[in-house]
Every structure is written in C-alpha cells, then in structure tokens.
C-alpha cells in the first residue's frame, strides 16, 4: 500500500526557533512553507534526501496540533506515507477496520492529496497518506 515514507511530522510550539535548530544543527534546507488554515497549522517542509521532515506549529490553542501540544508537548506528531493512489489506499485500509479521519482525500501542501487515519486504531500513531502532485498537472 505504501511506497515510501514521505515525511515525519513534528509538532512544535513555534516555527522560527525550531527552524533555526534544524537549519543550524542539521543544515536542512526549507523546501516549502505554508499556512494551512484548514488544518490550523503553519507547516514547513525540510529536505532530507527525497523525503521530508514537516514542522507543524498550531495557529491557535484550539486547533488539533494546539491540543496535541497541550497534552503531550513538542515531539513526533505523525508519520506520512507515500501512496500511488490515495483513494484506493483509503478504501483498502478502511476495509481492514482502521477508522479514517478523512473519508476522502483533501488538499495538502505542494499540491499533494492527503488523508489522515485514526491513531486510536494504529497504536497511537497518527498516520497520514500522501499522494504527491502529478507533475503533469497544474497546481
Ligand atoms: Co504531514
């Protein structure tokens, strides 16, 4: 079902300090930065080869990431797996009984289609499916 690890999502209180840490300690380059109102986060993707680390900072305390930080503090937040066909992957995974947070794919950063699976059915790991943008199609 999965063709690679697309990214690891890391919840942070605020972007600038964390960004400086990853840039200075690991010399990572910023691939993309975006405010995703729909998810209540500011997200920064950092390059690690052809994969990414995604720093996510909440836009407010009442957002999912804001609540996560309050409960668990900063740290690993989700794992994003690459899939070739997100609709087929959701159907196949849903058929095994894993609950889908997103029944249908929605827009992620950099033109990707994404969907989240319920962490309660996956050993506490929030899991994201990512179908990269078709390079042929316009953003
Ligand atoms: Co993500």
């Amino acid at each position: 079902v999965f063709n690679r690890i697309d990214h690891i999502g890391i919840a942070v209180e605020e972007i600038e300090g964390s960004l400086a840490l990853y840039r200075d300690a690991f010399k990572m380059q910023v691939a993309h930065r975006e405010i995703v109102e729909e998810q209540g986060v500011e997200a920064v993707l950092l390059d690690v080869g052809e994969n990414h680390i995604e720093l996510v900072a909440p836009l407010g305390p009442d957002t999912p990431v804001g609540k996560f930080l309050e409960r668990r503090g900063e740290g690993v937040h989700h794992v994003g797996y690459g899939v070739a066909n997100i609709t087929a992957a959701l159907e196949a995974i849903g058929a095994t009984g894993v609950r889908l947070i997103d029944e249908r794919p929605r827009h992620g950063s950099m033109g990707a289609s994404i969907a989240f699976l319920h962490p309660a059915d996956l050993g506490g790991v929030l899991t994201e499916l990512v179908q990269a943008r078709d390079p042929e199609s316009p953003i």
Side-chain angles (χ1 to χ4, degrees), residues 43-56:
V44 175
L45 285 166
L46 298 156
D47 285 330
V48 186
E50 54 180 31
N51 310 96
H52 297 99
I53 288 293
E54 177 184 40
L55 303 177
V56 288

Side-chain angles (χ1 to χ4, degrees), residues 5 7-13 18 21-22 26 28 52-57 64-81 116 119 122-128:
I5 289 181
H7 66 273
I8 306 287
I10 297 177
V12 301
E13 297 282 356
S18 308
L21 178 67
Y22 279 81
F26 300 146
M28 284 187 188
H52 297 99
I53 288 293
E54 177 184 40
L55 303 177
V56 288
V65 173
K67 290 175 190 156
F68 176 92
L69 286 170
E70 193 181 314
R71 277 199 319 274
R72 315 228 324 228
E74 291 187 313
V76 174
H77 179 258
H78 66 272
V79 177
Y81 293 100
F116 284 95
L122 295 166
V125 180
L126 178 60
T127 301
E128 178 182 359

Side-chain angles (χ1 to χ4, degrees), residues 80-94:
Y81 293 100
V83 296
N85 181 330
I86 194 165
T87 306
L90 279 172
E91 198 169 309
I93 293 166

